[in-house]
Amino acid sequence: RIPLVFGESNLQRNLIVPTTPVPAIVFNPNAGEGEIMPLRFATNWSAKAGLQLSFDLFDPELEGAIKEAKLVQLKSSIQQQETNRTSENNLRSLYAEVVLAQSQFDASKALLDDYVRTLAMLEQRKQAGRVGQVEWNNALQKSFDLEQLEQEAGLVLLNKKIAILPSLPTLDLNATFTTSLDEVLKSAQVSNSKVDSELNAVDMSLNQLKISNLNKLAIPKLSLNGYLGTQYFNNELRLLNGDNWFGTSYVNLALRVPITETFERNLTRKQLLLESSILESKNSINTSNDEVITLKRNNELLILRKKVTTQENIVALADENLKITKSQLEEGTILISVLN
C-alpha cells in the first residue's frame, strides 16, 4: 500500500470578519457576572499551504477493488483482441473477394484471347470465300460479347481493390493478385471467437464480486492522517511578509463507521442480483448464438468453395471445347454456327 500524499493551498478573503462572543471577565476583571464581549478572531486575509497525508490502516474494500480492477482490465483485453480479430477477418474477407474477382477476370481474359486467335483463323477462311457474311457477323458479335464480359470482370476487380484500399493503403491497383483462393479460404476457416460468451462470463464474475464486496462495506475503516504546512493571517494582502506566516502540523487516527449506508447497500444488492439473473439468461443465449454463427460461417465458406470449383470446371470445359473447335475449324469440319 502506498500512502496518499498531496499538496493543497488556498487564499481566502473574509468579506465579513466573523465575531465571537466571549466572557468579558477574561479581559476585564471588573466586568459584571455574565457580561460578554464580542471579539473578532479572524483577519481580512488568510491563506494556507501544505502537504496532506492519508494512509488506510484497515480498508476492507481495498482487496475487492483490486480484484474488480483486474476483471475490468481483462474485459478490456478481450474487447481489444476481438477488435483486432474482427479487423483481420474483415480484411481477409475483402482479400478473398479480390482474389475471386482476379480469378474471374483472368478466366474471361483467357477466353477472349483464345477466341481472338480463333477469329483470326476464321477470317482467313472468310477471305478464301468459305465463310458467309452472316456467319462472320455472328462470330464478331461473339467476340464483342466476350470483350464486354472481360471489361465487366475488370470493373468488378477494380471495385474490389478499391474496397480493400483503406486497409492496404500501399496497394497498387494495377497489381495482379497471385495468391490462390484456396489459401485464403484455409486461413479464413477458423472457429468462432465466442467473444460474447467470454465477455458475459467476465461480467458475471464482476457482478458476483460486487455483491461480495457489499458485505465488506459495513466494516469500519481505520486511517492515519497527517498535515504539515503553514498559515497566513493579516488584514492586508502581503503574502511575502514572513512574519504573518505561522507553521501548523497534526497527526490523527480516523475511524469511519458506516450507519445509514445500510439502506443504500440493500438497494444496490437487489439491483446486482437482478443483473446476475439477466447475465445468466444472456449466457445461455450467447452459447446458442456462438454455435449458429460458427455453422453459418462454415456454410458460407463451403458455398464459396463450391462456387470456385464450379467456376473452375466451367472454365476448364470451355477451354477444352474451344481447343476442339479450333482443331475442327482448322480441318474445316465444323460449322460456324457451332463456333458461335
Side-chain angles (χ1 to χ4, degrees):
R1 299 179 182 180
I2 301 177
L4 178 63
V5 180
F6 58 91
E8 64 173 5
S9 63
N10 65 60
L11 176 64
Q12 179 174 315
R13 173 66 168 93
N14 294 316
L15 301 178
I16 298 177
V17 177
T19 301
T20 303
V22 298
I25 195 171
V26 175
F27 300 96
N28 183 6
N30 299 323
E33 184 177 356
E35 184 179 351
I36 62 173
M37 177 183 298
L39 291 179
R40 297 170 60 184
F41 279 99
T43 57
N44 293 334
W45 290 94
S46 64
K48 181 181 180 181
L51 294 175
Q52 183 81 35
L53 177 143
S54 179
F55 181 70
D56 293 328
L57 298 177
F58 178 73
D59 186 358
E61 299 179 37
L62 182 59
E63 182 180 359
I66 294 175
K67 291 181 178 179
E68 281 190 33
K70 290 181 178 180
L71 285 175
V72 171
Q73 183 180 11
L74 175 60
K75 183 176 180 179
S76 299
S77 176
I78 294 175
Q79 290 173 332
Q80 181 62 46
Q81 291 176 6
E82 175 59 16
T83 300
N84 295 337
R85 186 183 293 111
T86 300
S87 299
E88 292 174 359
N89 286 338
N90 290 339
L91 178 58
R92 187 181 292 114
S93 299
L94 290 173
Y95 194 89
E97 292 179 6
V98 174
V99 173
L100 179 59
Q102 181 75 60
S103 175
Q104 293 172 336
F105 173 75
D106 292 342
S108 61
K109 186 177 184 303
L111 288 175
L112 177 61
D113 292 343
D114 285 343
Y115 195 85
V116 168
R117 287 191 292 268
T118 303
L119 195 64
M121 291 186 293
L122 186 62
E123 184 177 13
Q124 294 177 359
R125 294 187 60 187
K126 179 179 179 297
Q127 292 175 355
R130 300 170 62 185
V131 174
Q133 186 63 40
V134 175
E135 293 175 320
W136 172 250
N137 289 342
N138 290 335
L140 285 178
Q141 182 180 351
K142 176 68 174 181
S143 68
F144 294 152
D145 291 340
L146 291 176
E147 184 177 355
Q148 183 178 1
L149 181 62
E150 181 197 34
Q151 293 174 353
E152 292 175 354
L155 181 59
V156 171
L157 175 59
L158 179 60
N159 289 336
K160 296 298 183 182
K161 288 182 177 180
I162 293 175
I164 202 176
L165 199 57
S167 301
L168 297 175
T170 59
L171 174 66
D172 182 6
L173 295 179
N174 296 321
T176 300
F177 280 57
T178 57
T179 305
S180 68
L181 188 59
D182 189 61
E183 294 179 21
V184 179
L185 294 180
K186 285 182 179 179
S187 63
Q189 195 168 10
V190 295
S191 60
N192 191 58
S193 63
K194 298 184 179 181
V195 63
D196 290 337
S197 298
E198 293 178 5
L199 290 176
N200 194 72
V202 175
D203 286 335
M204 292 178 63
S205 299
L206 191 58
N207 191 268
Q208 292 298 325
L209 181 60
K210 289 180 179 179
I211 294 176
S212 175
N213 290 340
L214 278 178
N215 300 326
K216 299 179 180 179
L217 295 179
I219 303 176
K221 301 177 184 178
L222 181 64
S223 61
L224 173 67
N225 304 293
Y227 179 80
L228 175 63
T230 181
Q231 293 178 308
Y232 171 85
F233 299 100
N234 195 5
N235 287 323
E236 297 179 0
L237 184 59
R238 296 179 180 178
L239 297 178
L240 298 181
N241 188 353
D243 294 335
N244 296 106
W245 286 93
F246 306 92
T248 178
S249 179
Y250 66 82
V251 176
N252 66 43
L253 286 174
L255 181 66
R256 185 179 184 276
V257 182
I259 298 178
T260 59
E261 289 93 333
T262 303
F263 304 103
E264 183 179 352
R265 287 199 303 273
N266 289 335
L267 293 176
T268 304
R269 182 178 286 105
K270 292 180 180 179
Q271 179 182 354
L272 291 174
L273 289 174
L274 179 59
E275 290 178 0
S276 293
S277 177
I278 295 174
L279 289 172
E280 289 177 0
S281 300
K282 187 178 178 181
N283 186 55
S284 59
I285 295 175
N286 286 336
T287 301
S288 301
N289 288 341
D290 290 338
E291 296 175 354
V292 171
I293 291 174
T294 301
L295 180 61
K296 180 181 177 181
R297 181 169 180 79
N298 289 335
N299 287 338
E300 290 175 350
L301 292 173
L302 180 61
I303 292 174
L304 185 56
R305 285 182 180 276
K306 290 182 178 180
K307 182 178 180 181
V308 174
T309 302
T310 302
Q311 180 188 354
E312 291 175 348
N313 292 336
I314 292 174
V315 172
L317 289 174
D319 185 60
E320 182 179 356
N321 290 339
L322 187 59
K323 291 179 179 178
I324 295 173
T325 303
K326 286 169 60 178
S327 176
Q328 293 175 341
L329 181 62
E330 292 172 353
E331 298 174 357
T333 60
I334 188 172
L335 297 176
I336 302 303
S337 57
V338 176
L339 177 63
N340 294 329

